[in-house]
Amino acid sequence: MARLPKLAVFDLDYTLWPFWVDTHVDPPFHKSSDGTVRDRRGQDVRLYPEVPEVLKRLQSLGVPGAAASRTGEIEGANQLLELFDLIRYFVHREIYPGSKVTHFERLQQKTGIPFSQMIFFDDERRNIVDVSKLGVTCIHIQNGMNLQTLSQGLETFAKAQTGMSLL
């Protein structure tokens, strides 16, 4: 069986949902009686369609998840994770402005998991460049997180592990 990461880390904005939580929507958020999440102005707020299935798949594989976001809208981001019922998939959340390197250093300290055993999904190239220098397998997201991107990412991770074992 292919090697799996010990931690899968996700950016939030334009990775799990198609907006910047600190710019494009207006917290606080609420869930209406029909289950729709809306912002303060009543605007519908949605995840990318396959995100719940992606997180369920990782959970079924025994891979814990974490969130790493540089947003300044910390409360709103956490509120959305709760309202979308995603909190249960994230063992850790590093949500605050600053470098993603800091987010990963803190995740490594909290979990004891080496960077080489982590995979990271993000839409911003600068974050991919910075975090990859730590030895994390980084996957650049182009149109939101989906099952195909997850499969490709896990394959990339497994190949990287095979390469490491040959050194």
Side-chain angles (χ1 to χ4, degrees), residues 5-10 58-59 61-66 89-91 113 119:
K6 291 191 168 57
L7 186 67
V9 185
F10 295 90
L58 280 169
Q59 187 178 56
L61 293 170
V63 178
Y89 299 111
F90 296 116
V91 293
I113 296 170
I119 189 169

Side-chain angles (χ1 to χ4, degrees), residues 104 115-120 128 131-138:
F104 273 82
F115 295 127
S116 64
Q117 296 300 305
M118 297 180 188
I119 189 169
F120 176 46
I128 296 293
V131 174
S132 66
K133 291 175 185 171
L134 297 173
V136 175
T137 298
C138 295

Side-chain angles (χ1 to χ4, degrees), residues 15-156:
T15 300
L16 298 187
W17 47 63
F19 52 84
W20 285 312
V21 73
D22 60 358
T23 307
H24 298 141
V25 291
D26 195 7
F29 304 98
H30 67 279
K31 191 180 275 192
S32 62
S33 57
D34 66 2
T36 305
V37 176
R38 293 192 169 93
D39 72 1
R40 187 164 52 105
R41 293 171 296 162
Q43 177 181 326
D44 286 7
V45 180
R46 301 188 190 286
L47 295 169
Y48 283 111
E50 294 183 9
V51 164
E53 191 56 40
V54 164
L55 297 174
K56 284 179 198 160
R57 177 83 48 92
L58 280 169
Q59 187 178 56
S60 74
L61 293 170
V63 178
S69 175
R70 297 170 48 244
T71 187
E73 183 51 64
I74 299 165
E75 192 174 328
N78 278 300
Q79 189 180 27
L80 285 176
L81 290 173
E82 289 177 32
L83 291 171
F84 286 127
D85 200 25
L86 301 182
I87 289 285
R88 60 189 161 143
Y89 299 111
F90 296 116
V91 293
H92 294 286
R93 288 173 281 160
E94 296 294 320
I95 303 173
Y96 44 83
S99 169
K100 287 279 173 102
V101 170
T102 303
H103 293 86
F104 273 82
E105 288 171 343
R106 289 188 182 164
L107 285 169
Q108 198 277 326
Q109 289 167 0
K110 288 177 178 180
T111 64
I113 296 170
F115 295 127
S116 64
Q117 296 300 305
M118 297 180 188
I119 189 169
F120 176 46
F121 299 91
D122 196 308
D123 69 300
E124 287 191 52
R125 178 65 63 192
R126 65 180 170 166
N127 295 329
I128 296 293
V129 169
D130 290 348
V131 174
S132 66
K133 291 175 185 171
L134 297 173
V136 175
T137 298
C138 295
I139 309 299
H140 186 229
I141 300 296
Q142 308 244 344
N143 296 301
M145 194 64 208
N146 58 50
L147 290 165
Q148 181 180 355
T149 303
L150 175 64
S151 295
Q152 291 169 342
L154 292 177
E155 192 175 310
T156 300

